Amino acid sequence: PHSSAAAIFFIIGTGLFLICTLIDFKSTIGNGLIAMVNSSLYVFGAAALEAGSIAFYPGVMDNVTCNGIKPCALGQYLYVAGTLVICFALLWDIARLLRSGNVIPYPFIIALFSALVGAVNFNYGANFLMPQYLTTYDQVQKGGLFFVVGGCCFMIHALAVCKAYLF
């Protein structure tokens, strides 16, 4: 029951992230190719996280085999791929902001770096939960801890974005 609740929260959280990236992408239309390509990276990364979250739901991947490993680690692979794409998009955003020469408000800096730290933690968590590494209860605890820290970082990101746009 606890893993089902956690999976549902991840499905909801990554679904909201996907919706936000789609809204952001819509706002970049007409603002140049670079902005649209950068924004589309977030969309692809968020879609991978949403699909990975669905694959994490207990029972979804139980009867699926990947490379002879059962259950299939599709959720973990999607999280690794999605977080790498999001890290690339974030680093690209940071580089573009630094090159602009404009003063970057603190909420934007906090938002970008907390999302980067969150994505890196999700990546580590997904790697720790790969079936070939799940040898001890300790491994599961470490993987779960990375997801908790990553989730806290994404919460800080969301609050910083709200601060930047709403207040």
Side-chain angles (χ1 to χ4, degrees), residues 67-147:
N67 297 327
I69 299 172
K70 187 175 180 181
C72 179
L74 181 64
Q76 290 90 323
Y77 289 124
L78 287 166
Y79 258 80
V80 168
T83 55
L84 288 175
V85 170
I86 289 168
C87 284
F88 180 76
L90 284 162
L91 290 171
W92 189 9
D93 262 347
I94 292 167
R96 287 184 333 145
L97 284 170
L98 292 174
R99 286 188 60 188
S100 73
N102 296 329
V103 175
I104 306 165
Y106 284 113
F108 284 108
I109 295 169
I110 292 168
L112 288 168
F113 282 100
S114 61
L116 185 62
V117 173
V120 168
N121 273 279
F122 274 14
N123 189 291
Y124 278 128
N127 276 295
F128 267 99
L129 296 177
M130 291 288 184
Q132 60 267 36
Y133 304 131
L134 288 179
T135 55
T136 65
Y137 181 72
D138 220 21
Q139 292 295 107
V140 175
Q141 291 296 96
K142 286 179 185 175
L145 181 61
F146 279 113
F147 276 105

Side-chain angles (χ1 to χ4, degrees), residues 9-19 46 49-51 53 79 122:
F9 281 117
F10 269 97
I11 291 169
I12 292 169
T14 54
L16 290 171
F17 181 54
L18 178 58
I19 290 167
L49 293 180
E50 179 65 9
S53 294
Y79 258 80
F122 274 14

